[in-house]
Amino acid sequence: MQTFIETQFPIARLSAESYKERKAGASQTLTGLGKWWGRKPLVLVRASIIGMLMPASSDAKRDREIFLKILTMDDEGTWLRCKPAIQRKTSRAAFNALPYADRITNCERPENVEGPSKEAWADINEHLGTTANNISELVEQLGQRTFGHTPRVGDSFCGGGSIPFEAARIGCDAFGSDLNPVAGLLTWASLNLLGGGKEVQDEVRQVQEKVFAQTDKQITDWGIEHNDRGERAEAYLYCVEVKPEGCEFYIPLAPSWVISEKYRIVCTWKRVEGSEQLQPEVLTVSDDELKLYKNKKGATAINSRAVDPFDANRSWSIESLRGPNGLRRWAKNDVVPRPGDVFQERLYCIRWIDAKGNRRYAAPDEHDIEREKKVLGLLKDRFSNWQNEGFIPSAVIPEGGDETARLYRERGWTHWHHLFTPRQLLTIGSLAARLPSNHKYSLPRLGNLADFNSRLTRYPSTRETINNTFSNQALNTMFNFPCRGLLLCKNVFVLQSSVDEFPRLESTTVMLMDARDLSETCDIWITDPPYADAVNYHELGDFFLAWFDKQLVKAFPEWTPDARAELAVRGDGEDFRRSMVDIYQNLAHHMPENGLQMVMFTHQDPAVWADLGMILWAAGLKATAAWTISTETEAAGIKQGNYVQGTVCLVLRKRIGLEPGYLDEVYPLVEDEVKRQIASMQALDEGDEPNFNDADYQLAAYAAALKVLTQYGNLDGRDVEDEVFAVRAKNEKSDFQAVIERALGIACDTLIPNGLDNSWRDLSLVERYYLRGLDIESRGERRQGMYEELARGFGVANIRPLLKSDKANGARMHTPSGLAASGLAQLGSNDSGEALPSKRGRASADTTHPFASTPLRHLLFAIRETTVADNSPEPGRQYLRDTFGQGYWTKRDGFVRLLEWLSALGNTAEMAEWRADSEAARILAGRLRNDHA
Ligand SMILES: C[S@@+](CC[C@H](N)C(=O)[O-])C[C@H]1O[C@@H](n2cnc3c(N)ncnc32)[C@H](O)[C@@H]1O
């Protein structure tokens, strides 16, 4: 029996919902618990589970309607989710007429509403033969039907816990495990704290409020945050300073000295007679002056150089300042730089707030400096005791990791507590020390405090909020950074989220396990492995673990508080493949014969997943469907250009039996399957709300190939596992890969750009590639990987000369004018490839590229001649006649059709670059149409 997800999936709507959920930022249900990287959208998890439980009927359209109803993603459901204020303003018809993504901007997320209406349940029950009144009853009944019990859903790489959390919320028995103790704790908390219901949440909040109030009193008594103007410090801004050789003073470092754009606050520096330290002044400036500061006036850290604030021409490379032997390594008891260290640190601004809520920025005065000293003294008094108790970190930072190496190199930091100022350690430590011992519900709060209050955070002058350490996936050191006063720690410490109780909380389990060693059985495994992943979970996780390692052992005696980095799955080489095959073999053993798996993974380059397909095949699984959902990303910013855009959801079942396959028989089967798959997707596409884009079709082609291939236990007598691990030369392909690529070729050729149906047959592969490239470009596709993927499909080896830009997220094809400028279309050559006499300074160009001698390239050149001649078509026409001689007349109709297609390109904003060329194409088409021999 096929399940819904094995036949279809509402990709467009789910992408819109997933995107909305990700955009909710801090108000996503699980983010409030603590940072983890790559959390999967809950709505996607919910849809996946329902999609794997719901049987497919012979009526695909009705199945889809019912599925959307269950998720409240049908028209009625979205209307009911629409916020009342909007409902009052809009008519239902007008609301329904909006594109889905626009509709849901004013809706609650599906997870935050009660569920389908009574009427909807009647329809759902009628179609599915169930008697459910809510989603957990539906899950129970569908599970009973397929597996004979409540379905058990597991995730062996559970990370932040999205998968077990959502599974439990909709009524499944949920199992989650991860290698990393921080992930284990977050998952445990998602299930037991959020899933534990209001009572537990209220109790935990009360404990945290109380601890906060006690700490507040203590800090007030110490007098370390209050001044004698009746103000309290909300935030402190620090910077690193350095005294280069030959410089008479310490240079405070910051890439910009703007503190608040809204209030036009900046920091400036003054020399002081007889002192090597500059003195900060915090000023309110005019709008014009602010602009100068935004343009780096006085900036002292530019392009990895320390710049003299008074003479921008004087600068020193930061790397050279660190010296040939690198920085002094901080000792365990260091909390601030020692005198003589290359990098010193100082406070340069305090943000105060008074009883009325007025904000004031000021440079520190001598009392503030005294208070800083007091903080250091208070910390020193408690330091070793707190480290022993585990209220502040004491662990060593593992040396030489991808992320951690830079902490040693750039700051000399060797222990996790070095990433926090004395004030940060004192504040978080005071809270930690007051928590009741064994209060496991609050351990994630300590990690959260660390995330939002470390030397690695930022204070964006546009927002005046304090970012978290992991606003991306790296441990980046900062030249200037904020520190929170206690008041700004409140929301980071006291639990904010609340969620209803889970129906079957007693049937949830969380373990800390290497996925190879699991022995739990689940009906459905949904996993999101660290596939060719940019995130070093084990290294980054240690940042948090350092804050509760000692408490964790007390709270979870069976857990080892160690990331066990050596067991972490990572990379994409042979070791990675070996561990993945082992893990998925293990999971396949631990599911019933009719069980299902979904492997999710997010990667920019769709090609890499063919490799994953092989791994899963070797693990004894067969693919039954694959869908891509756009889930958007968390890490634009620093690692720009590399962000991922789609999550591939691959559905798998156990392969039973060892049926042999033969390559020559497989090809036609793949061809049929690819065509069938594409046709069924095209049939589901809904006109103005297309479900699928190019990437989806390409993915579907791969999936179709995998579907055919993975049914077989071996291919031409060769074992799949041997093939996965066979040693190959760099560009050598396995037969398996060849089949998969062939599928892509079939898909590419099945998808003809609208309006080119009659010309397609006459075009060569490279010409088709160019036109399809334009086609995807015109639909907004900019991912370079997609242009490469297309090229694979058409067998075009070198696409560089055809692309105007091959930036990771800014790829586009050349226009005719662009091609001319790049040289490829510049060289006139006749059909035999011979160069035409040089005309208008045509330079020599790449005649070896297969595109250079194609009729399409000549046609593009004729367009270019038309634009150059101020839209007179004569030179272009003449060029074509000279180039093709008598052949011109047979080619003419085809040319006209292509020109017409090209003339429509420039109509959209996406293709504004084409405007002039499209106009020329239109004029040239007219001229050719009226040409007479
Ligand atoms: C992509 S994340 C999972 C994110 C998760 N699906 C979520 O929504 O939060 C991959 C996880 O695999 C874990 N991991 C890596 N190697 C592992 C192993 N050998 N066994 C179990 N888990 C492992 C990492 O700690 C990480 O949490």
Side-chain angles (χ1 to χ4, degrees), residues 525-726:
W525 286 105
I526 303 181
T527 47
D528 163 24
Y531 183 78
D533 208 325
V535 188
N536 284 297
Y537 297 96
H538 49 288
E539 288 183 38
L540 303 179
D542 279 358
F543 170 91
F544 297 116
L545 185 60
W547 279 94
F548 47 68
D549 47 3
K550 297 202 169 111
Q551 319 286 340
L552 195 75
V553 212
K554 291 186 208 150
F556 299 89
E558 67 286 6
W559 288 7
T560 324
D562 182 331
R564 291 185 289 168
E566 69 289 354
L567 296 177
V569 176
R570 66 187 115 143
D572 52 11
E574 160 133 22
D575 280 357
F576 165 79
R577 291 203 184 116
R578 172 59 59 202
S579 39
M580 289 284 282
V581 170
D582 288 351
I583 287 170
Y584 281 94
Q585 246 160 15
N586 186 27
L587 296 186
H589 281 143
H590 290 101
M591 66 194 247
E593 303 286 273
N594 64 346
L596 282 142
Q597 286 211 30
M598 175 184 282
V599 177
M600 294 181 171
F601 84 100
T602 310
H603 203 284
Q604 196 175 21
D605 182 356
V608 294
W609 85 274
D611 191 33
L612 181 62
M614 295 275 292
I615 287 171
L616 296 168
W617 187 8
L621 294 162
K622 63 174 183 192
T624 57
W627 310 104
T628 321
I629 307 291
S630 311
T631 45
E632 208 38 39
T633 94
E634 54 191 318
I638 296 195
K639 291 196 172 163
Q640 229 162 25
N642 269 331
Y643 50 89
V644 280
Q645 286 155 320
T647 293
V648 177
C649 302
L650 189 60
V651 185
L652 303 136
R653 285 178 182 266
K654 241 187 210 188
R655 186 173 56 247
I656 297 163
L658 267 181
E659 202 188 321
Y662 302 95
L663 264 174
D664 51 352
E665 290 170 8
V666 160
Y667 274 114
L669 290 175
V670 166
E671 185 159 344
D672 288 353
E673 183 62 31
V674 171
K675 287 188 174 153
R676 199 193 58 75
Q677 178 72 35
I678 288 177
S680 78
M681 287 165 74
Q682 281 170 332
L684 280 170
D685 252 341
E686 305 154 292
D688 49 314
E689 194 183 293
N691 240 310
F692 309 109
N693 64 23
D694 242 78
D696 299 322
Y697 281 106
Q698 294 186 7
L699 173 62
Y702 276 142
L706 269 187
K707 259 195 248 180
V708 173
L709 285 176
T710 56
Q711 298 169 43
Y712 301 111
N714 61 52
L715 210 50
D716 282 355
R718 271 168 303 157
D719 185 61
V720 194
E721 207 171 329
D722 294 344
E723 280 292 309
V724 173
F725 295 107

Side-chain angles (χ1 to χ4, degrees), residues 393-448:
S394 56
V396 174
I397 302 172
E399 212 177 327
D402 292 338
E403 288 299 325
T404 53
R406 85 167 73 111
L407 301 174
Y408 281 81
R409 190 177 62 245
E410 294 173 9
R411 292 291 181 274
W413 294 337
T414 57
H415 288 69
W416 288 109
H417 64 271
H418 295 156
L419 278 59
F420 302 85
T421 63
R423 197 177 272 283
Q424 288 167 331
L425 292 171
L426 187 68
T427 310
I428 311 179
S430 296
L431 290 164
R434 284 182 171 77
L435 281 170
S437 65
N438 256 351
H439 199 258
K440 40 186 167 183
Y441 291 106
S442 289
L443 296 184
R445 310 317 296 156
L446 300 176
N448 211 41

Side-chain angles (χ1 to χ4, degrees), residues 56-170:
S57 76
S58 54
D59 185 347
K61 198 156 166 286
R62 188 66 182 151
D63 285 351
R64 179 185 158 86
E65 286 162 7
I66 293 298
F67 183 78
L68 291 176
K69 273 181 199 286
I70 299 172
L71 292 168
T72 63
M73 284 164 49
D74 59 327
D75 286 350
E76 191 212 11
T78 36
W79 175 250
L80 292 178
R81 281 195 281 134
C82 179
K83 304 205 167 120
I86 305 291
Q87 279 184 346
R88 280 194 295 273
K89 277 196 285 187
T90 325
S91 78
R92 182 150 170 189
F95 180 77
N96 285 349
L98 292 173
Y100 191 77
D102 293 346
R103 250 190 269 177
I104 60 168
T105 47
N106 292 309
C107 287
E108 297 287 349
R109 299 202 296 269
E111 59 175 312
N112 293 334
V113 297
E114 206 159 292
S117 67
K118 252 201 158 79
E119 295 73 42
W121 278 118
D123 289 343
I124 296 166
N125 286 327
E126 193 199 305
H127 184 70
L128 297 176
T130 47
T131 56
N133 297 302
N134 55 46
I135 199 150
S136 53
E137 286 177 14
L138 181 73
V139 162
E140 169 72 23
Q141 290 175 23
L142 293 177
Q144 288 288 352
R145 199 184 286 170
T146 312
F147 304 112
H149 50 251
T150 312
R152 186 161 202 248
V153 175
D155 177 2
S156 58
F157 298 100
C158 65
S162 292
I163 294 164
F165 175 83
E166 196 59 17
R169 174 153 67 170
I170 61 173

Side-chain angles (χ1 to χ4, degrees), residues 319-522:
E319 196 180 335
S320 70
L321 293 176
R322 292 201 290 257
N325 303 323
L327 301 171
R328 176 186 76 85
R329 293 189 162 194
W330 286 29
K332 187 171 178 186
N333 60 356
D334 282 330
V335 285
V336 285
R338 287 190 197 165
D341 278 352
V342 173
F343 291 129
Q344 297 294 314
E345 181 175 281
R346 68 182 296 181
L347 176 65
Y348 67 92
C349 178
I350 302 174
R351 184 175 111 192
W352 298 99
I353 189 158
D354 68 14
K356 291 194 188 127
N358 298 315
R359 193 177 277 185
R360 182 175 73 92
Y361 286 97
D365 61 20
E366 71 269 28
H367 304 293
D368 298 318
I369 302 300
E370 277 311 308
R371 281 188 277 270
E372 288 294 285
K373 286 192 187 137
K374 180 157 184 191
V375 166
L376 188 57
L378 287 164
L379 177 68
K380 285 198 167 152
D381 295 344
R382 286 155 184 79
F383 191 72
S384 52
N385 181 23
W386 278 8
Q387 280 202 328
N388 289 339
E389 294 288 336
F391 300 144
I392 55 172
S394 56
V396 174
I397 302 172
E399 212 177 327
D402 292 338
E403 288 299 325
T404 53
R406 85 167 73 111
L407 301 174
Y408 281 81
R409 190 177 62 245
E410 294 173 9
R411 292 291 181 274
W413 294 337
T414 57
H415 288 69
W416 288 109
H417 64 271
H418 295 156
L419 278 59
F420 302 85
T421 63
R423 197 177 272 283
Q424 288 167 331
L425 292 171
L426 187 68
T427 310
I428 311 179
S430 296
L431 290 164
R434 284 182 171 77
L435 281 170
S437 65
N438 256 351
H439 199 258
K440 40 186 167 183
Y441 291 106
S442 289
L443 296 184
R445 310 317 296 156
L446 300 176
N448 211 41
L449 280 166
D451 188 21
F452 281 88
N453 201 21
S454 80
R455 279 183 164 124
L456 308 190
T457 59
R458 278 172 301 132
Y459 190 78
S461 58
T462 42
R463 288 190 285 123
E464 299 173 79
T465 49
I466 298 177
N467 279 347
N468 56 336
T469 302
F470 292 111
S471 47
N472 65 24
Q473 314 170 344
L475 287 164
N476 296 306
T477 57
M478 301 288 153
F479 288 122
N480 63 331
F481 58 87
C483 156
R484 287 172 189 254
L486 184 71
L487 295 182
L488 291 192
C489 291
K490 182 151 186 190
N491 289 350
V492 185
F493 177 63
V494 179
L495 180 70
Q496 303 294 308
S497 354
S498 56
V499 166
D500 288 343
E501 199 157 350
F502 286 173
R504 297 176 57 82
L505 182 60
E506 73 287 354
S507 308
T508 63
T509 314
V510 181
M511 286 183 181
L512 218 55
M513 279 271 199
D514 179 351
R516 274 163 282 227
D517 301 335
L518 278 179
S519 54
E520 296 280 316
T521 296
C522 289

Side-chain angles (χ1 to χ4, degrees), residues 780-799:
E781 182 60 75
R782 295 287 177 272
R783 289 170 292 175
Q784 186 224 8
M786 294 312 305
Y787 290 77
E788 280 177 355
E789 195 70 353
L790 259 190
R792 266 189 280 278
F794 287 105
V796 179
N798 174 15
I799 56 172

